[in-house]
Amino acid sequence: MSIPIKPRRIRFDYGPATGLETGERRHYVQDDLVMSHIVATLSAMFPEGEDFFVRSVRHYSDRITDPQLKKDVAGFIGQEVTHGREHRDLNDRLQEMGYPTHRVDQMVKRALSMYWKRLPKISSLAVTSALEHYTAALAETLLIDPRAQELLGTSEVRSVLLWHAIEESEHKAVAFDVYRAVGGTEKRRIWTMRWMTCSFLFGVTMHTLASLAGDKAARNPKRLLKSFAALRHSPFLTKEVRQRIRDYNRVGFHPNDNDNTELLRKWTQQLFGEQGELAHNLK
């Protein structure tokens, strides 16, 4: 049984009472210096990324004939639009805390605008499918691994990312299925993923380093080196996660090869059931 892809009408509170204080809680990922900047960087990249994903899929929506895929595309677009809105609100709060989210947002916007103007539209869709695989792999790691959940503590960032993770996992195959339905080739899909692996990792690394450069706490070499060393044990960088991302390069791969049905049922109930953690956020 497939999981329905439906946008949730949801809002989050980024005020000072939500665990995002600018003082001693500035490094909101369990006081981890580097991981706090990595998460802020990823959040800053999401809004323009989500807009690009929507444009890429919507461009081909009139060529989709399968009724179920049409419904999935509508759900995908609704979810991604909401993701962009909520991350923009979160990024405004992170900017106030000293993270350069607005600068990252503008740089990502310029890069993706160049992709859209210069690449064939089928390549933009291939880029979307590749990056959706990255986000789904990281999202499901967050939902599966208690260590990943523990990193985010109790701040509103945790709530946002858990909600985002569920919806990314729900629609992880949509861009892929659209790409395949409109005639995208395996060769283009795999080569695009290899290219985006280099581009995405380079972008995250450089934006994170620039963000750290503006943080006075990063001028403490002992704390900075300790935080970088801790990345070796990050639940998001395990051998299993890396292999799952590489699976995309296998001929015949499909995102649903990794069945997440039970995982989504569990978290949907935990977050959005009658007594769910985020039930009060739903509008």
Side-chain angles (χ1 to χ4, degrees), residues 42 46 53 126-142 164-165 168-169 172 190 192-202 204 236-237 241-249 253 255:
L42 290 171
F46 280 136
F53 297 167
V127 168
T128 295
S129 181
L131 291 177
E132 281 288 295
H133 179 66
Y134 259 100
T135 55
L138 296 176
E140 290 181 9
T141 299
L142 176 59
H164 194 164
E168 287 296 330
S169 300
K172 67 178 180 178
I190 292 169
T192 300
M193 182 58 164
R194 290 172 178 167
W195 169 42
M196 289 313 300
T197 293
C198 297
S199 177
F200 176 69
L201 294 179
F202 177 78
V204 171
F236 296 103
L237 297 176
V241 173
R242 297 196 303 270
Q243 182 57 55
R244 182 170 172 197
I245 291 172
R246 285 194 296 267
D247 284 346
Y248 190 92
N249 295 327
F253 166 84

Side-chain angles (χ1 to χ4, degrees), residues 94-224:
L94 291 171
Q95 179 76 29
E96 293 172 2
M97 293 167 62
Y99 295 93
T101 52
H102 291 174
R103 182 182 68 200
V104 174
D105 178 81
Q106 288 303 306
M107 293 179 73
V108 171
K109 182 177 182 178
R110 285 195 293 270
L112 293 178
S113 294
M114 182 184 67
Y115 287 172
W116 185 252
K117 292 176 182 177
R118 298 186 181 182
L119 292 178
K121 296 301 181 278
I122 192 66
S123 291
S124 291
L125 185 57
V127 168
T128 295
S129 181
L131 291 177
E132 281 288 295
H133 179 66
Y134 259 100
T135 55
L138 296 176
E140 290 181 9
T141 299
L142 176 59
L143 298 177
I144 290 168
D145 195 327
R147 296 176 302 155
Q149 298 152 29
E150 186 180 354
L151 276 175
L152 299 177
T154 59
S155 77
E156 195 75 345
V157 175
R158 176 184 185 273
S159 299
V160 174
L161 294 184
L162 285 173
W163 155 73
H164 194 164
I166 283 182
E167 295 198 345
E168 287 296 330
S169 300
E170 288 174 347
H171 70 231
K172 67 178 180 178
V174 175
F176 185 100
D177 286 342
V178 172
Y179 175 81
R180 190 168 61 178
V182 299
T185 65
E186 288 285 84
K187 181 178 180 181
R188 185 190 296 269
R189 177 181 70 80
I190 292 169
W191 275 104
T192 300
M193 182 58 164
R194 290 172 178 167
W195 169 42
M196 289 313 300
T197 293
C198 297
S199 177
F200 176 69
L201 294 179
F202 177 78
V204 171
T205 299
M206 297 309 295
H207 287 312
T208 299
L209 291 175
S211 184
L212 281 164
D215 189 337
K216 291 182 179 179
R219 298 172 193 172
N220 181 333
K222 183 177 180 180
R223 183 178 181 187
L224 182 62

Side-chain angles (χ1 to χ4, degrees), residues 158-159 162 267 269-273 275-281:
R158 176 184 185 273
S159 299
L162 285 173
W267 276 99
Q269 180 60 32
Q270 182 171 330
L271 295 183
F272 301 111
Q275 302 298 324
E277 296 175 31
L278 302 182
H280 65 284
N281 292 90

